[in-house]
Amino acid sequence: MTNDAKNTQPERLLIENCRCLATFDDDQRELKNVDILIEGPQVIAIGENLRQANSLPPDIPAIDASSHLVMPGLVNCHHHMYQVLTRVVGRAQNAELFEWLIELYHMWEHVDAEGVHVAALIAMAELLMTGCTTTMDHHYLHPESAPVELIDEEIRAAQSLGMRFHPTRGSMTLGIDRGGLPPLSLVEKPDRVLADYDRVIQKYHDDSPFSMLRIALAPCSPFNADETIFRETSRVARHYGVRMHTHLAETLDENDYCWERFGCRPLDYVAKMGWEGPDVWFAHAVYLNAAERKRCAENGTGVAHCPASNGRLGSGIAPIPQMVAAGMKVGLGVDGSSSNDSGDMLGEARLAFLTHRAAQGVQAIDTRKTLWLGTRGGADILGNDKIGRIEVGCAADIIMLDLNQFAFAGGASLDPIAASVMCGTTHHVDYSIINGKIVVERGKLSGVTEASVVKKANEISEKILDKVNTERKMDYTIRVDWPMKVHPPHPGDEEARSKTPEKKPES
């Protein structure tokens, strides 16, 4: 073999003697004391004593996993990373979705390219540290004062951190002048959006098997994106073969908005514009009724479940056990950092587990089903069959939790997989490997210096706060008790979910 051939040989990495390996493959194998051999971006062998069986050289890079739970990296199906800059805003702390959005729009008007980049670094760092190896981002914020190339700033952040990224080029095209929620400073013309669709897909989209970057298209929601952009998005997405994403049926207010404005429920509104099928996924879907769940299951439409955000905004509890029972595709999402206030992916899985047990009893969901949603469920929604499992031929996207911690004591020997959901305090991983590259090692993240990035984010956040306080002549740090609506218990009664008007509203 020539020196040139040696230099082009894929790098190899050996994970040895896994205390517990949760594969999340089709057979849901759970293995003990096995090794994983990685070559280049993929897993090439799983079994006992792979060093000897494959005649591996003694100096091959190796990780001792004898005290670790090893799992596939989690997949985040919904996020708004720019919101890192506006967490725990006092004026929006006690507001429901519509009021919360209207107040925060005034802050988001001042987000620029630097802010998007810094926020993405922090959001992705949070995800990487808490078990997420693949994330999307729903970036619909394009202030008129900012350049159009904002998604590029997020992509640059993902590439610097080594994160597998499925960003979505979002938009708001329906402003307050035409019955939407956002101010005109945040509203784009459809032609500008469509031109940028072509640009980002042609420049960035990579559909190769181990791609680190795939694009999707994502108008924000029925109350801030118009019919033109929904129709054109479905046309463009299917022309290029990329996926589509939007918020849908998140709150009762949204249901009412769609009835009053369009004379139908949210799902029927977007469906008439082509928004159903295996290339579509919705965020939240708290208020899909039984017939709609069955319909989504039959046509392959997916849902990103975001329990922390739904709880934070009092939006309700999505009927996830019923969705799963109906055969729907369901994944997990941490949602935006202003509605969740953190980007803790393992924490989101834990919250999903607790939420549905609290609402529907202990048989509603178990730990393994929760983790399945966070791995295989998310991979299915994003249409990526190389992630979400540890299997020969699949991407080497692997996380490792050190079980020798106070938080796992007394449980790690009994059921380490359940312990990853039911126990733990920080939810931080010990190792994270993406496409065969170590990005978190012994709890430390490579690719970013925490103190300097946090300092920059705080500086940007303070500037935004100063600007909005001056413009609005009020202090946005002061909490406001917004008038709260009294909703039925969640998951609420089917009558509320299936509400129909006595007559079709006037157009």
Side-chain angles (χ1 to χ4, degrees):
M1 181 181 294
T2 66
N3 288 334
D4 287 343
K6 288 181 180 178
N7 291 337
T8 60
Q9 184 177 358
E11 295 180 9
R12 290 185 290 183
L13 175 66
L14 182 64
I15 302 174
E16 293 186 287
N17 197 28
C18 301
R19 180 168 177 178
C20 178
L21 169 59
T23 65
F24 288 94
D25 63 8
D26 289 344
D27 296 325
Q28 302 186 53
R29 292 180 300 157
E30 299 174 5
L31 309 173
K32 296 183 184 299
N33 304 317
V34 296
D35 304 339
I36 304 169
L37 181 59
I38 297 166
E39 186 171 88
Q42 64 183 311
V43 174
I44 65 168
I46 300 171
E48 296 181 1
N49 198 14
L50 292 183
R51 183 183 291 274
Q52 181 177 345
N54 291 268
S55 301
L56 298 176
D59 60 348
I60 184 174
I63 300 173
D64 177 11
S66 57
S67 65
H68 291 80
L69 167 65
V70 181
M71 297 192 298
L74 300 176
V75 180
N76 178 34
C77 294
H78 187 64
H79 208 345
H80 309 294
M81 294 181 181
Y82 74 87
Q83 292 181 12
V84 161
L85 303 172
T86 55
R87 296 201 246 221
V88 297
V89 173
R91 189 164 177 82
Q93 282 183 23
N94 298 323
E96 294 188 6
L97 178 65
F98 279 18
E99 292 86 0
W100 177 87
L101 283 170
I102 290 168
E103 288 302 325
L104 287 175
Y105 285 146
H106 297 297
M107 301 190 75
W108 296 340
E109 289 176 306
H110 302 292
V111 174
D112 59 14
E114 181 185 36
V116 170
H117 180 71
V118 171
L121 284 173
I122 291 173
M124 292 181 194
E126 288 184 288
L127 291 169
L128 288 168
M129 293 294 291
T130 58
C132 179
T133 55
T134 298
T135 187
M136 63 80 71
D137 191 60
H138 188 182
H139 190 84
Y140 58 81
L141 184 75
H142 291 271
E144 62 181 3
S145 59
V148 72
E149 299 89 359
L150 293 182
I151 198 171
D152 305 60
E153 296 296 327
E154 296 190 305
I155 291 169
R156 189 160 63 91
Q159 291 172 339
S160 69
L161 293 172
M163 186 158 213
R164 195 181 301 278
F165 196 27
H166 287 236
T168 71
R169 205 302 184 178
S171 60
M172 293 191 289
T173 58
L174 183 66
I176 55 174
D177 61 328
R178 294 193 294 133
L181 292 187
L184 298 186
S185 61
L186 295 179
V187 174
E188 292 185 277
K189 298 292 186 185
D191 287 349
R192 183 176 190 257
V193 177
L194 294 174
D196 208 41
Y197 281 173
D198 289 332
R199 182 187 71 84
V200 297
I201 292 171
Q202 292 177 21
K203 184 175 182 179
Y204 293 116
H205 183 65
D206 176 8
D207 60 2
S208 62
F210 298 100
S211 167
M212 293 288 286
L213 182 58
R214 293 181 180 175
I215 302 294
L217 306 180
C220 187
S221 73
F223 51 81
N224 53 33
D226 63 7
E227 184 171 337
T228 297
I229 204 63
F230 273 105
R231 288 190 185 279
E232 287 299 294
T233 297
S234 64
R235 178 187 65 79
V236 174
R238 284 169 179 144
H239 169 74
Y240 283 110
V242 301
R243 292 185 173 246
M244 303 184 293
H245 180 57
T246 193
H247 298 91
L248 199 81
E250 182 176 357
T251 65
L252 288 171
D253 283 345
E254 182 186 335
N255 275 15
D256 292 342
Y257 178 93
C258 288
W259 274 120
E260 292 165 7
R261 187 173 177 87
F262 311 122
C264 60
R265 289 170 59 78
L267 181 61
D268 289 330
Y269 172 64
V270 297
K272 73 179 182 179
M273 294 173 286
W275 279 71
E276 284 185 309
D279 56 352
V280 175
W281 86 101
F282 302 130
H284 306 298
V286 175
Y287 293 99
L288 291 184
N289 62 33
E292 291 166 335
R293 296 193 294 268
K294 182 175 183 291
R295 177 168 145 195
C296 287
E298 290 172 348
N299 61 42
T301 303
V303 166
H305 176 41
C306 309
S309 173
N310 296 156
R312 158 77 151 81
L313 294 175
S315 302
I317 300 174
I320 297 302
Q322 287 80 3
M323 290 182 184
V324 173
M328 282 185 64
K329 295 191 299 189
V330 179
L332 296 180
V334 300
D335 202 2
S337 298
S338 297
S339 67
N340 183 346
D341 305 308
S342 77
D344 181 350
M345 193 65 194
L346 275 170
E348 198 77 30
R350 174 176 168 81
L351 186 59
F353 168 75
L354 295 175
T355 296
H356 298 295
R357 286 193 160 206
Q360 300 186 49
V362 296
Q363 301 303 320
I365 197 166
D366 62 22
T367 55
R368 284 161 174 79
K369 176 57 71 176
T370 303
L371 290 170
W372 183 275
L373 300 181
T375 53
R376 292 292 296 274
D380 197 16
I381 279 178
L382 296 182
N384 193 335
D385 63 2
K386 294 296 185 183
I387 63 174
R389 70 184 88 184
I390 299 177
E391 189 173 355
V392 171
C394 288
D397 287 13
I398 295 169
I399 60 173
M400 300 171 58
L401 279 72
D402 186 356
L403 298 172
N404 287 344
Q405 300 181 55
F406 289 127
F408 295 123
S413 297
L414 301 174
D415 189 343
I417 299 170
S420 70
V421 175
M422 302 180 82
C423 306
T425 49
T426 68
H427 304 137
H428 280 191
V429 298
D430 198 35
Y431 283 88
S432 179
I433 300 165
I434 302 177
N435 239 27
K437 304 289 187 182
I438 299 173
V439 297
V440 175
E441 184 172 9
R442 299 187 183 279
K444 300 295 183 183
L445 177 67
S446 61
V448 65
T449 303
E450 183 173 8
S452 63
V453 178
V454 169
K455 181 175 183 290
K456 175 58 69 174
N458 287 336
E459 290 172 354
I460 295 171
S461 180
E462 288 164 7
K463 287 180 182 178
I464 291 173
L465 181 62
D466 288 344
K467 287 179 180 179
V468 74
N469 284 346
T470 300
E471 290 178 356
R472 301 282 291 166
K473 295 181 173 58
M474 60 181 67
D475 187 350
Y476 264 60
T477 66
I478 295 176
R479 293 186 302 276
V480 174
D481 291 327
W482 291 90
M484 301 298 284
K485 307 174 186 68
V486 178
H487 299 305
H490 299 297
D493 56 28
E494 285 299 312
E495 183 179 359
R497 295 177 184 278
S498 306
K499 176 184 173 184
T500 55
E502 294 181 2
K503 65 176 182 177
K504 183 175 180 179
E506 297 290 333
S507 60

